[in-house]
Amino acid sequence: MAKTSAILLSIALTLSSSASAFAQNREQDPLDAIYDQINAQARAGASAPLPVRDSRAFNQFMQQTSGNLNVEYANTAKSEAARRQDAMTTGSYEQKRINELADWEKSQIQNSTTHYGRSGRTSTRSYNTGSSADLQAVEANRRLNLSQSDDSTASRLQDNAAFAQGRDQAMQDVANNLRDQVLSTQSSDKPFGLQGVGTNLYVRQYGRPDANLPPVRNAAARIVPSNSDY
């Protein structure tokens, strides 16, 4: 997806270590140098190799995190679509209620001005269509309430879109932060740091950079009540 490649450095562009680049970075503050190189290449779209010791581990991290981001983007889209549908349905029912109430108020005004009478043996009934001013007031109130309902629905839709955008951005920020931590671990002499193998958007694996870690496999856990038989 375009969004993933725009946030994480492209997997196709993150390959192999560079001893000369690493040696050059060590002449200044190592972490600042790494960040400068990452940001410069991200801006320029350069394909020069990053200073990583284990490109296999780093690429594994990139692939897993990219997949995690795609899942989170899909979840955000589904959630936003559900909230949008809820806002539209709520607005529709609200407008229906407003129209029904206005029609009832108009009928009350008209019925309250109906006159009954009797002349001799014949019953007579005459109608007055009601005060024109009262009916106009009901109609004006109807239009006002419908307009407010439209504004409320639009506001909910805007809030939902902003929430979805903020959630996606938060996921992107987490992925960027993880990428920088993995790169800093692989590009420095730290005895301990965040590892590429076993680290993704949901999991963090720490250890020595030179540790020979076993293959990582997906697992699932189930939480049950403490008094359960399972």
Side-chain angles (χ1 to χ4, degrees):
M1 292 179 60
K3 183 184 291 184
T4 302
S5 60
I7 302 304
L8 290 173
L9 297 178
S10 173
I11 294 173
L13 301 182
T14 55
L15 301 172
S16 70
S17 62
S18 172
S20 60
F22 178 71
Q24 182 179 0
N25 286 339
R26 300 304 295 171
E27 296 177 359
Q28 51 181 312
D29 184 81
L31 193 56
D32 288 344
I34 293 168
Y35 270 73
D36 290 344
Q37 185 171 1
I38 292 171
N39 293 331
Q41 293 201 15
R43 288 192 298 268
S47 59
L50 294 172
V52 295
R53 288 194 179 96
D54 189 348
S55 60
R56 179 193 63 83
F58 184 73
N59 287 340
Q60 177 177 326
F61 157 75
M62 295 289 284
Q63 290 172 344
Q64 290 185 349
T65 306
S66 175
N68 297 154
L69 279 177
N70 289 338
V71 170
E72 290 302 321
Y73 294 151
N75 290 340
T76 299
K78 291 178 182 178
S79 177
E80 197 275 335
R83 291 194 301 271
R84 182 172 63 249
Q85 182 62 42
D86 177 71
M88 298 295 292
T89 301
T90 301
S92 177
Y93 277 111
E94 177 66 13
Q95 294 201 353
K96 180 181 178 182
R97 186 193 66 81
I98 292 171
N99 285 322
E100 289 177 346
L101 178 60
D103 291 341
W104 178 84
E105 289 178 341
K106 290 175 70 174
S107 68
Q108 290 297 106
I109 293 173
Q110 292 170 340
N111 291 338
S112 67
T113 55
T114 300
H115 303 283
Y116 295 88
R118 179 176 296 276
S119 175
R121 296 181 178 180
T122 305
S123 297
T124 61
R125 185 171 58 180
S126 61
Y127 296 94
N128 187 326
T129 58
S131 169
S132 176
D134 291 341
L135 294 176
Q136 289 178 0
V138 170
E139 196 61 32
N141 192 53
R142 182 211 300 263
R143 290 194 298 269
L144 175 62
N145 289 334
L146 289 175
S147 176
Q148 291 176 342
S149 176
D150 287 337
D151 292 343
S152 177
T153 300
S155 178
R156 286 192 62 188
L157 292 174
Q158 185 177 4
D159 290 344
N160 289 341
F163 176 82
Q165 184 178 5
R167 187 179 188 278
D168 279 350
Q169 184 61 54
M171 293 296 101
Q172 295 164 10
D173 291 343
V174 170
N176 285 341
N177 182 268
L178 289 175
R179 176 203 62 197
D180 293 347
Q181 290 186 60
V182 171
L183 282 174
S184 67
T185 299
Q186 292 207 2
S187 302
S188 69
D189 292 330
K190 291 181 179 179
F192 185 82
L194 195 65
Q195 303 301 297
V197 176
T199 295
N200 55 47
L201 204 60
Y202 313 118
V203 180
R204 310 289 187 271
Q205 172 126 332
Y206 292 87
R208 299 198 330 271
D210 58 347
N212 186 14
L213 301 175
V216 178
R217 294 181 174 85
N218 294 329
R222 182 175 63 175
I223 300 175
V224 297
S226 58
N227 59 350
S228 173
D229 295 333
Y230 296 96

